[in-house]
Amino acid sequence: ERDLPAVERLYRAVIEEMHGAPHDVWWEFGVHPTREGLRASASRGELIVARDGAPATVGDGAVPPQEASLLGACVVDGAQDAGYRTAAWPLSVPDHEVAVLHLLAVAPEGRGRGVARRLVAAAARAARARGARVLRLDVFDNNAPAIALYRSCGFTDLGARAFAYDEGFTHGAHLMELDLGLPGALDRMETTR
């Protein structure tokens, strides 16, 4: 929870950078994600952060490493939008064996350094440790970098479709699933770029 101020700054920076870009995913801090939602995820152990081990100085004074070096974050939980329940997933598993990856974000200065791949691998490990057999996600169809990342991590892509979100809007999205039981899946994910 000590990372929450830095996590909030990270999401705000990523949202600002994405706004109007071809890969804009329409996030608005306070709507999605929210401070309260991130705090709840942190308290449940569902918020994963990636940081650079090097201490940093920002502005006029030293900033604690947990704030200065935060390069990315994501949430892994079991919350599935309604559209997940009607999708033709490759693996049929009960809801309690499904983990969902949400809100993967990498700071602009962390891009191209394998941060996103390490976050996905950490999410898969956390999901597996909680007894999940699959890790699922949805990604807007205009977010080509994220789609390529997830495919390269071994996710099966169900293809683009109109997806109705619980927040009350519909957008083209790819639904993706990772079989957490595949031998060596996490090893390949952590070493492949």
Side-chain angles (χ1 to χ4, degrees):
E1 290 194 24
R2 71 176 190 228
D3 290 313
L4 285 171
V7 169
E8 182 176 331
R9 285 192 297 276
L10 167 81
Y11 280 109
R12 288 181 184 276
V14 168
I15 290 166
E16 184 178 320
E17 183 268 333
M18 280 192 306
H19 184 71
H23 60 279
D24 190 350
V25 295
W26 300 3
W27 291 351
E28 180 182 339
F29 198 87
V31 177
H32 185 74
T34 66
R35 177 179 291 132
E36 298 78 20
L38 291 171
R39 177 164 275 113
S41 293
S43 69
R44 291 189 301 262
E46 299 167 345
L47 177 64
I48 299 170
V49 298
R51 57 172 120 247
D52 191 347
T57 301
V58 177
D60 294 331
V63 175
Q66 71 265 20
E67 294 184 17
S69 58
L70 193 68
L71 295 178
C74 67
V75 172
V76 62
D77 62 19
Q80 301 180 73
D81 277 288
Y84 280 60
R85 301 195 192 292
T86 58
W89 296 104
L91 299 172
S92 178
V93 297
D95 284 348
H96 70 276
E97 294 180 348
V98 174
V100 182
L101 177 62
H102 304 277
L103 294 169
L104 185 115
V106 175
E109 65 273 15
R111 305 235 171 98
R113 296 170 57 184
V115 173
R117 181 173 299 283
R118 288 194 310 269
L119 282 168
V120 173
R125 282 192 308 276
R128 186 186 280 171
R130 293 181 189 139
R133 290 179 41 207
V134 298
L135 179 60
R136 293 178 177 162
L137 60 85
D138 59 271
V139 57
F140 275 16
D141 60 354
N142 61 305
N143 195 344
I147 294 166
L149 166 73
Y150 298 131
R151 285 177 180 159
S152 75
C153 287
F155 281 80
T156 300
D157 186 350
L158 277 65
R161 64 194 66 222
F163 189 77
Y165 287 88
D166 289 347
E167 291 88 356
F169 68 93
T170 301
H171 194 284
H174 288 250
L175 296 179
M176 300 182 144
E177 178 178 75
L178 179 67
D179 182 348
L180 296 172
L182 286 177
L186 292 180
D187 297 335
R188 285 191 305 273
M189 185 184 308
E190 292 176 332
T191 59
T192 307
R193 283 195 175 226

